[in-house]
Amino acid sequence: MTTLIELVSASYRYPDGTPGLDDCHLRLRAGSRNALLGANGAGKTTLMQHLNGLLRPTSGHLHWQGHPVAYDRAGLRALRQQVGLVFQNPDRQLFSAHVEEDVSFGPLNLGLGEHDVRTRVAAALDAVGMRAHARSPVHHLSFGQKKRVCLAGVLAMQPQLLVLDEPMAGLDAPMQRDLQQLLDDLVARHGVTVLISTHDAAFAADWADELHLMVAGRCRLSESADRLMAQPQAWLDAGQSPPEVIAVHQELVRRGVLPATPVPRSMPRLLDQLRNGLTPQPQAQPHPHIHPHPHERPCHDAA
Amino acid sequence: MTTLIELVSASYRYPDGTPGLDDCHLRLRAGSRNALLGANGAGKTTLMQHLNGLLRPTSGHLHWQGHPVAYDRAGLRALRQQVGLVFQNPDRQLFSAHVEEDVSFGPLNLGLGEHDVRTRVAAALDAVGMRAHARSPVHHLSFGQKKRVCLAGVLAMQPQLLVLDEPMAGLDAPMQRDLQQLLDDLVARHGVTVLISTHDAAFAADWADELHLMVAGRCRLSESADRLMAQPQAWLDAGQSPPEVIAVHQELVRRGVLPATPVPRSMPRLLDQLRNGLTPQPQAQPHPHIHPHPHERPCHDAA
Amino acid sequence: MHIMEGFLPFTHALAWTAASAPFLAWGLHSVSRTLRSHPEQRMLLGVSAAFAFLLSALKLPSVTGSCSHPTGVGLGALLFGPAAMVPVGFVVLLFQALLLAHGGLTTLGANVFSMAIVGPFVAYGVFRLGCALGLTRSMAVFLAACLGDLSTYVTTSVQLALAFPDPVGGVLLSFEKFGGIFAFTQVPLAITEGLLTVLVVNAMAQF
Amino acid sequence: MIIERLAYASPWRAVAPSAKAIFAGGAMAAAWLAPSPWMAAGLAALVATVTVAGARIPLRDYLRVAMAPMGFLMLSCLTMLVTVNPSPGAPTWRLATEMLPQVLMIATRAMALCAALLWLVLTTPLGDLLALLRRLRCPAVLADLMAVTYRMQSVLGDAWSDGLTAQRARLGHAGRLQSLRSTAQLISQMAVQCWMRASALQAAADARNFDGTLRFLHAAHPNGRREGAVAAAAAIGLILLAAWGRWA
């Protein structure tokens, strides 16, 4: 797969002096599912705002499909059309009275005609399962519904890269499953690239093709999920607890209960291995996704 | 242990018609750690606001230490002195400029003298590790720090029951550990009763003495964590995914890797069992807490 | 438009403070009475004052492209009535002086008079008059906000003219001079504020 | 908000606000008393120097803060310095040189008073000043209003900038007209939010036994008496200096 977007040695400091990014590298492959992990204050949100051109690196560059992004009006317009950014707090990104009106905000700003806008709004609301609420007042919606409307507002701009800041925060388990399903659909059917930030290492390991571990304004390690499961120390180095499945698998292998297969990426997959009597990966993988990047290297050396 | 607070067949409907509680029962034992689990919109927040008298049940009763709560000024005052409520969003509950001022608000409302108030404020800030920020302006704090100030503001009132709405939301793993440690200390040292709401079944099962599963405005099941670990179906009936450790343990028991011991309450405890070669519970329990209530029954029958 | 700290002569500063004080006392009395029956209004007034202050501190896009400070008194007077706007306006102006160095402490009385008393009353009066004359809501709101804004600036010009009469043309010429020089920023600003208030009120009506 | 940031960073933040207010009051009184532009200008320079050097405010930041009032001052003084020729017929404009001494006095006095105000706000955060007002028995309704306003202006400020960022992410500010429309949308959304925030605050206050008055502990200033005495001495010094100039 080709590189869709790349942040090259980007540094950023907020006007009030707070450090944001520090020589940060990040590369996202077209059509991949990416998770960004890091403690509070590691710079996840700052990084995400760079991808959409909301923040401009003090030094370093942002490349879109191999070309450096121009931070003029036309360049930013083009970038923001391609990179949809969904913020964490829905109450701070919905500003219209009605659902439909809010979702149409982006398409209208793209200068589309009324008919196109309507089509897109309807499609976006369909995608997030909020078609029935098109005319509902936004402030009567539940938290989960508001989050979906935020997503619809970005989907209606038909971005190639979807960046979501903590999309799972505050959602209960069924809603998280729905959202995950929706994101997987977007990747599978429309070839959209997705980057989400999260605190949940287990979810990230299970869902993402590639994980990016951030520490202190820097993307310390970018690695495929499969490979990262074999390196518990890499998680610890990045200040993250490794997913529990790694330790359980290790122990079961040590005790000879399981053969020395690669670590499964989630507890259900481990259970599958146990139940199917040591059958190796293929059947156990609920996600049919391929991980065809054997040669990636850490975006920044952890040494 | 004795019952500290009890909500008896409480129903509540919001003025705008939204349903809140529906014939809800809840009983909390003095000195216990309780987790309230439920989907978004199940009524967790509504229930919590009843415990502090912020909402008054349309029908049903609230009993404090066996006595019905009087919803007059004196009664509410007494109740709110005993029941501290920490809301989810710190920006919606801190209204003073400086940390110290905000924490002093509750104690001053209790009519305490200046010296007592100062002592309490200092102790509360110590407890949450914010003593050094006593004179900091609230708006310079990070999200996690603000959450701690909110907690200090309630601790300074020295409540017997501490109710926290989604205290872990938005905190990263180390902060969550700190908070858990603090709550455990309060229970162990001061005999405070704690109720927290959460989406995280694994955390709830690991931490709480007793779990309360809410569905549609009703507390569908109240059960000790130890016993609930043996009933995966009960979780599913309440619309919750049971903690993964249950299935893994079951499978390992089925395969004869582990003896048919009670299900451990967390993955690390399961790992301990595996490592210590099937040693049963005592050593494997990192929490020295006793669970001495073998006779509780579901607060509302799940049939 | 705020008169800066120390610009007015001592007697004028004192006189305008004395002129504003009874209005402030009356506004506080009226708010206290409301709070007795609606205690929840205490927080609402605080949040609204914070919002008004925020708007005044923001650089909003205006027709002329200059950065501006809409007073927001029009909107506030329409929502809460002019009496409540005196203490709210007082707090906003005090905060502007202490957080932004716009206006000042010695000139607080004069600024309160123009922005927290004259402005809201004119805006409210124009709105009621517009409604009585059968204007559309948008038109009435626009005129209320626009004229409310203009009246504060006219009042400020009067205050300056009274303090510093022209050596030749006296108070009248001085008024023309001050009024003329600030008209460059204030008239477009009043129109922007009027338009913005209409947009805001229309959008709020949908919520 | 640069003043706020500097005030919190100021090494004199810990000094009792009452002492700082006494000095500011003294400086203001001296500015009113100052008999000549030279005296007033000297006073302005003195207070500004104390602020910049003593409170370690970077000069650039100080000038940035002072720019807005100085702009007003310049514009107003120019206005006063222009007048018409009293000749009949079409009026012609001329420079009113006879006004020069008076304008000079007004301008230097304004600068001195302004320097006193800046001294106060650059060394004392507004939160501390509000606490001082509460101690001075400011009416409870007004004190409560100010407390909520102060806290909420920063909360709303964050919400505003987040909202603006979210709008920019969806191209809401790509053109001037779009920008005006988006701004109006954001204002109205936030205005509606005011009600919800207010009721959330009310619930949070009720949960902590709120009974109608917001009560807060004031900060302890163990050296407050001594600091007040030093400030009073400095203030009296300034006043005596100005008075000596006037009546000596």
Side-chain angles (χ1 to χ4, degrees), chain A residues 126-170:
Chain A
D126 263 341
V128 301
M130 289 291 290
R131 183 72 170 271
H133 293 83
R135 295 297 300 155
S136 301
V138 170
H139 60 282
H140 281 179
L141 301 180
S142 71
F143 181 81
Q145 289 174 323
K146 282 184 193 165
K147 280 210 124 165
R148 284 191 268 166
V149 173
C150 294
L151 181 55
V154 169
L155 289 183
M157 296 176 79
Q158 301 186 345
Q160 285 190 52
L161 169 61
L162 196 57
V163 178
L164 302 107
D165 199 354
E166 299 274 1
M168 302 301 179

Short mmCIF file of all heavy atoms in Angstrom, two decimals, chain A residues 126-170:
data_model
loop_
_atom_site.label_atom_id
_atom_site.label_comp_id
_atom_site.label_asym_id
_atom_site.label_seq_id
_atom_site.Cartn_x
_atom_site.Cartn_y
_atom_site.Cartn_z
N ASP A 126 -27.40 7.86 7.20
CA ASP A 126 -27.63 6.43 7.06
C ASP A 126 -26.46 5.64 7.62
O ASP A 126 -26.63 4.67 8.36
CB ASP A 126 -27.78 6.07 5.58
CG ASP A 126 -29.24 5.97 5.18
OD1 ASP A 126 -30.07 5.83 6.10
OD2 ASP A 126 -29.53 6.04 3.98
N ALA A 127 -25.26 6.06 7.24
CA ALA A 127 -24.07 5.31 7.63
C ALA A 127 -23.96 5.20 9.14
O ALA A 127 -23.55 4.16 9.67
CB ALA A 127 -22.82 5.98 7.05
N VAL A 128 -24.32 6.25 9.86
CA VAL A 128 -24.18 6.21 11.32
C VAL A 128 -25.48 5.80 12.00
O VAL A 128 -25.56 5.82 13.23
CB VAL A 128 -23.70 7.56 11.89
CG1 VAL A 128 -22.37 7.95 11.29
CG2 VAL A 128 -24.73 8.65 11.66
N GLY A 129 -26.48 5.46 11.18
CA GLY A 129 -27.74 5.00 11.77
C GLY A 129 -28.54 6.09 12.44
O GLY A 129 -29.23 5.84 13.42
N MET A 130 -28.46 7.32 11.91
CA MET A 130 -29.19 8.42 12.53
C MET A 130 -30.20 9.04 11.57
O MET A 130 -30.66 10.15 11.80
CB MET A 130 -28.22 9.49 13.02
CG MET A 130 -27.38 9.10 14.22
SD MET A 130 -28.35 8.95 15.73
CE MET A 130 -28.75 10.67 16.03
N ARG A 131 -30.53 8.31 10.49
CA ARG A 131 -31.45 8.86 9.50
C ARG A 131 -32.76 9.28 10.14
O ARG A 131 -33.32 10.34 9.83
CB ARG A 131 -31.69 7.79 8.42
CG ARG A 131 -32.57 8.23 7.27
CD ARG A 131 -31.82 9.21 6.37
NE ARG A 131 -32.52 9.48 5.15
CZ ARG A 131 -32.37 8.79 4.03
NH1 ARG A 131 -31.53 7.77 3.99
NH2 ARG A 131 -33.03 9.11 2.93
N ALA A 132 -33.22 8.44 11.08
CA ALA A 132 -34.52 8.71 11.69
C ALA A 132 -34.50 10.00 12.52
O ALA A 132 -35.55 10.56 12.82
CB ALA A 132 -34.94 7.54 12.57
N HIS A 133 -33.30 10.45 12.91
CA HIS A 133 -33.21 11.64 13.76
C HIS A 133 -32.84 12.89 12.98
O HIS A 133 -32.45 13.89 13.58
CB HIS A 133 -32.16 11.42 14.86
CG HIS A 133 -32.55 10.37 15.83
ND1 HIS A 133 -32.34 9.03 15.60
CD2 HIS A 133 -33.14 10.44 17.04
CE1 HIS A 133 -32.78 8.33 16.62
NE2 HIS A 133 -33.28 9.16 17.51
N ALA A 134 -32.97 12.84 11.66
CA ALA A 134 -32.49 13.95 10.82
C ALA A 134 -33.02 15.30 11.31
O ALA A 134 -32.31 16.29 11.32
CB ALA A 134 -32.87 13.72 9.37
N ARG A 135 -34.28 15.34 11.73
CA ARG A 135 -34.87 16.63 12.10
C ARG A 135 -34.89 16.84 13.61
O ARG A 135 -35.51 17.79 14.10
CB ARG A 135 -36.30 16.74 11.56
CG ARG A 135 -36.40 16.77 10.04
CD ARG A 135 -35.72 17.97 9.41
NE ARG A 135 -36.27 19.23 9.87
CZ ARG A 135 -35.62 20.39 9.89
NH1 ARG A 135 -34.35 20.43 9.49
NH2 ARG A 135 -36.17 21.47 10.30
N SER A 136 -34.22 15.98 14.35
CA SER A 136 -34.24 16.14 15.80
C SER A 136 -33.34 17.29 16.23
O SER A 136 -32.30 17.52 15.61
CB SER A 136 -33.72 14.87 16.49
OG SER A 136 -34.51 13.78 16.14
N PRO A 137 -33.74 17.98 17.29
CA PRO A 137 -32.84 19.00 17.82
C PRO A 137 -31.62 18.32 18.46
O PRO A 137 -31.76 17.32 19.16
CB PRO A 137 -33.66 19.71 18.89
CG PRO A 137 -34.98 19.04 18.94
CD PRO A 137 -35.00 17.90 18.00
N VAL A 138 -30.45 18.89 18.18
CA VAL A 138 -29.21 18.25 18.62
C VAL A 138 -29.15 18.10 20.14
O VAL A 138 -28.72 17.08 20.65
CB VAL A 138 -28.00 19.08 18.12
CG1 VAL A 138 -26.72 18.59 18.77
CG2 VAL A 138 -27.89 18.97 16.61
N HIS A 139 -29.63 19.13 20.86
CA HIS A 139 -29.43 19.08 22.30
C HIS A 139 -30.38 18.12 23.01
O HIS A 139 -30.31 17.98 24.21
CB HIS A 139 -29.47 20.48 22.92
CG HIS A 139 -30.77 21.19 22.71
ND1 HIS A 139 -31.11 21.78 21.52
CD2 HIS A 139 -31.80 21.38 23.54
CE1 HIS A 139 -32.30 22.31 21.63
NE2 HIS A 139 -32.74 22.08 22.84
N HIS A 140 -31.26 17.46 22.26
CA HIS A 140 -32.08 16.42 22.88
C HIS A 140 -31.48 15.04 22.71
O HIS A 140 -32.02 14.06 23.21
CB HIS A 140 -33.49 16.43 22.27
CG HIS A 140 -34.34 17.51 22.83
ND1 HIS A 140 -35.62 17.73 22.42
CD2 HIS A 140 -34.08 18.44 23.77
CE1 HIS A 140 -36.13 18.75 23.08
NE2 HIS A 140 -35.21 19.20 23.91
N LEU A 141 -30.37 14.95 21.96
CA LEU A 141 -29.80 13.63 21.69
C LEU A 141 -28.99 13.14 22.88
O LEU A 141 -28.52 13.93 23.70
CB LEU A 141 -28.89 13.70 20.46
CG LEU A 141 -29.54 14.15 19.15
CD1 LEU A 141 -28.50 14.16 18.05
CD2 LEU A 141 -30.70 13.26 18.79
N SER A 142 -28.83 11.82 22.95
CA SER A 142 -27.96 11.26 23.98
C SER A 142 -26.51 11.45 23.57
O SER A 142 -26.21 11.82 22.43
CB SER A 142 -28.25 9.78 24.14
OG SER A 142 -27.77 9.08 23.00
N PHE A 143 -25.63 11.18 24.51
CA PHE A 143 -24.20 11.34 24.24
C PHE A 143 -23.76 10.50 23.03
O PHE A 143 -23.09 11.00 22.13
CB PHE A 143 -23.43 10.91 25.49
CG PHE A 143 -21.94 11.04 25.35
CD1 PHE A 143 -21.33 12.27 25.54
CD2 PHE A 143 -21.16 9.95 25.05
CE1 PHE A 143 -19.96 12.40 25.42
CE2 PHE A 143 -19.78 10.06 24.92
CZ PHE A 143 -19.19 11.29 25.10
N GLY A 144 -24.18 9.25 23.01
CA GLY A 144 -23.79 8.36 21.91
C GLY A 144 -24.32 8.85 20.57
O GLY A 144 -23.62 8.79 19.56
N GLN A 145 -25.56 9.34 20.60
CA GLN A 145 -26.14 9.85 19.35
C GLN A 145 -25.40 11.09 18.87
O GLN A 145 -25.13 11.24 17.68
CB GLN A 145 -27.62 10.18 19.57
CG GLN A 145 -28.48 8.94 19.75
CD GLN A 145 -29.91 9.28 20.12
OE1 GLN A 145 -30.17 10.22 20.87
NE2 GLN A 145 -30.85 8.50 19.61
N LYS A 146 -25.03 11.95 19.81
CA LYS A 146 -24.29 13.15 19.42
C LYS A 146 -22.96 12.75 18.78
O LYS A 146 -22.53 13.34 17.79
CB LYS A 146 -24.02 14.02 20.65
CG LYS A 146 -25.20 14.83 21.08
CD LYS A 146 -24.79 15.74 22.24
CE LYS A 146 -26.01 16.34 22.92
NZ LYS A 146 -25.68 16.92 24.21
N LYS A 147 -22.30 11.75 19.36
CA LYS A 147 -21.03 11.32 18.79
C LYS A 147 -21.23 10.85 17.36
O LYS A 147 -20.41 11.09 16.48
CB LYS A 147 -20.42 10.20 19.65
CG LYS A 147 -19.72 10.71 20.89
CD LYS A 147 -18.57 9.82 21.32
CE LYS A 147 -17.31 10.61 21.39
NZ LYS A 147 -16.18 10.01 22.09
N ARG A 148 -22.34 10.15 17.12
CA ARG A 148 -22.58 9.67 15.77
C ARG A 148 -22.87 10.81 14.80
O ARG A 148 -22.46 10.77 13.64
CB ARG A 148 -23.74 8.66 15.78
CG ARG A 148 -23.28 7.32 16.34
CD ARG A 148 -24.30 6.27 16.11
NE ARG A 148 -25.20 6.17 17.26
CZ ARG A 148 -26.35 5.52 17.25
NH1 ARG A 148 -26.76 4.92 16.14
NH2 ARG A 148 -27.10 5.46 18.32
N VAL A 149 -23.57 11.83 15.29
CA VAL A 149 -23.83 12.99 14.43
C VAL A 149 -22.52 13.68 14.05
O VAL A 149 -22.31 14.09 12.91
CB VAL A 149 -24.80 13.97 15.11
CG1 VAL A 149 -24.94 15.25 14.29
CG2 VAL A 149 -26.15 13.32 15.32
N CYS A 150 -21.61 13.79 15.03
CA CYS A 150 -20.30 14.38 14.74
C CYS A 150 -19.61 13.61 13.62
O CYS A 150 -19.03 14.20 12.70
CB CYS A 150 -19.40 14.33 15.97
SG CYS A 150 -19.97 15.34 17.31
N LEU A 151 -19.66 12.31 13.71
CA LEU A 151 -19.03 11.48 12.70
C LEU A 151 -19.70 11.69 11.35
O LEU A 151 -19.03 11.84 10.32
CB LEU A 151 -19.11 10.01 13.14
CG LEU A 151 -18.48 8.98 12.23
CD1 LEU A 151 -17.03 9.31 11.95
CD2 LEU A 151 -18.58 7.59 12.84
N ALA A 152 -21.04 11.75 11.36
CA ALA A 152 -21.76 11.97 10.11
C ALA A 152 -21.36 13.29 9.47
O ALA A 152 -21.19 13.38 8.25
CB ALA A 152 -23.27 11.93 10.36
N GLY A 153 -21.18 14.32 10.31
CA GLY A 153 -20.81 15.63 9.78
C GLY A 153 -19.49 15.59 9.05
O GLY A 153 -19.26 16.35 8.10
N VAL A 154 -18.61 14.70 9.45
CA VAL A 154 -17.32 14.57 8.79
C VAL A 154 -17.44 13.63 7.58
O VAL A 154 -16.87 13.89 6.51
CB VAL A 154 -16.25 14.09 9.79
CG1 VAL A 154 -14.99 13.69 9.08
CG2 VAL A 154 -15.98 15.19 10.80
N LEU A 155 -18.19 12.56 7.75
CA LEU A 155 -18.37 11.61 6.63
C LEU A 155 -18.99 12.30 5.42
O LEU A 155 -18.67 11.97 4.28
CB LEU A 155 -19.26 10.44 7.06
CG LEU A 155 -18.65 9.44 8.04
CD1 LEU A 155 -19.63 8.31 8.32
CD2 LEU A 155 -17.34 8.90 7.51
N ALA A 156 -19.87 13.27 5.69
CA ALA A 156 -20.55 13.94 4.59
C ALA A 156 -19.57 14.72 3.70
O ALA A 156 -19.91 15.10 2.59
CB ALA A 156 -21.62 14.88 5.14
N MET A 157 -18.38 14.95 4.22
CA MET A 157 -17.37 15.61 3.39
C MET A 157 -16.56 14.58 2.60
O MET A 157 -15.68 14.94 1.82
CB MET A 157 -16.45 16.46 4.28
CG MET A 157 -17.19 17.60 4.97
SD MET A 157 -16.14 18.53 6.10
CE MET A 157 -15.25 19.57 4.92
N GLN A 158 -16.87 13.31 2.77
CA GLN A 158 -16.23 12.21 2.05
C GLN A 158 -14.71 12.28 2.08
O GLN A 158 -14.05 12.32 1.04
CB GLN A 158 -16.75 12.15 0.61
CG GLN A 158 -18.27 11.97 0.59
CD GLN A 158 -18.82 11.76 -0.80
OE1 GLN A 158 -18.13 12.01 -1.79
NE2 GLN A 158 -20.05 11.29 -0.89
N PRO A 159 -14.15 12.27 3.29
CA PRO A 159 -12.69 12.35 3.39
C PRO A 159 -12.03 11.01 3.06
O PRO A 159 -12.66 9.96 3.16
CB PRO A 159 -12.48 12.68 4.87
CG PRO A 159 -13.64 12.05 5.56
CD PRO A 159 -14.80 12.13 4.61
N GLN A 160 -10.77 11.08 2.69
CA GLN A 160 -10.03 9.84 2.46
C GLN A 160 -9.38 9.34 3.73
O GLN A 160 -9.06 8.17 3.86
CB GLN A 160 -8.93 10.07 1.42
CG GLN A 160 -9.46 10.19 0.01
CD GLN A 160 -8.32 10.16 -0.98
OE1 GLN A 160 -7.47 9.28 -0.95
NE2 GLN A 160 -8.28 11.15 -1.84
N LEU A 161 -9.13 10.29 4.63
CA LEU A 161 -8.55 9.92 5.92
C LEU A 161 -9.48 10.39 7.02
O LEU A 161 -9.90 11.55 7.03
CB LEU A 161 -7.17 10.57 6.10
CG LEU A 161 -6.54 10.49 7.49
CD1 LEU A 161 -6.33 9.06 7.93
CD2 LEU A 161 -5.22 11.26 7.52
N LEU A 162 -9.81 9.48 7.91
CA LEU A 162 -10.72 9.82 8.99
C LEU A 162 -9.92 9.75 10.29
O LEU A 162 -9.35 8.71 10.61
CB LEU A 162 -11.84 8.79 9.00
CG LEU A 162 -13.11 9.10 9.78
CD1 LEU A 162 -13.71 10.40 9.30
CD2 LEU A 162 -14.10 7.97 9.60
N VAL A 163 -9.86 10.88 10.98
CA VAL A 163 -9.08 10.95 12.22
C VAL A 163 -10.06 11.15 13.37
O VAL A 163 -10.84 12.10 13.37
CB VAL A 163 -8.09 12.13 12.16
CG1 VAL A 163 -7.31 12.23 13.46
CG2 VAL A 163 -7.15 11.96 10.98
N LEU A 164 -10.06 10.24 14.33
CA LEU A 164 -11.02 10.32 15.43
C LEU A 164 -10.29 10.37 16.76
O LEU A 164 -9.50 9.47 17.08
CB LEU A 164 -11.96 9.12 15.42
CG LEU A 164 -12.78 8.92 14.14
CD1 LEU A 164 -12.24 7.74 13.36
CD2 LEU A 164 -14.24 8.71 14.44
N ASP A 165 -10.58 11.42 17.54
CA ASP A 165 -9.93 11.60 18.84
C ASP A 165 -10.78 10.89 19.90
O ASP A 165 -11.91 11.30 20.16
CB ASP A 165 -9.83 13.10 19.14
CG ASP A 165 -8.78 13.39 20.20
OD1 ASP A 165 -8.25 12.43 20.77
OD2 ASP A 165 -8.51 14.57 20.43
N GLU A 166 -10.26 9.83 20.47
CA GLU A 166 -10.94 9.09 21.54
C GLU A 166 -12.39 8.77 21.19
O GLU A 166 -13.30 9.09 21.97
CB GLU A 166 -10.94 9.91 22.84
CG GLU A 166 -9.57 10.21 23.37
CD GLU A 166 -9.02 9.09 24.25
OE1 GLU A 166 -9.73 8.08 24.43
OE2 GLU A 166 -7.88 9.24 24.73
N PRO A 167 -12.63 8.14 20.07
CA PRO A 167 -14.04 7.94 19.68
C PRO A 167 -14.79 7.01 20.62
O PRO A 167 -16.00 7.08 20.72
CB PRO A 167 -13.93 7.33 18.28
CG PRO A 167 -12.59 6.67 18.24
CD PRO A 167 -11.70 7.53 19.10
N MET A 168 -14.07 6.12 21.30
CA MET A 168 -14.75 5.13 22.14
C MET A 168 -15.05 5.66 23.54
O MET A 168 -15.82 5.04 24.27
CB MET A 168 -13.88 3.88 22.28
CG MET A 168 -13.54 3.22 20.96
SD MET A 168 -15.03 2.74 20.06
CE MET A 168 -14.32 2.04 18.58
N ALA A 169 -14.43 6.79 23.91
CA ALA A 169 -14.60 7.30 25.28
C ALA A 169 -16.06 7.61 25.55
O ALA A 169 -16.72 8.29 24.75
CB ALA A 169 -13.75 8.54 25.49
N GLY A 170 -16.56 7.13 26.64
CA GLY A 170 -17.93 7.44 27.05
C GLY A 170 -18.99 6.59 26.39
O GLY A 170 -20.17 6.74 26.69
#
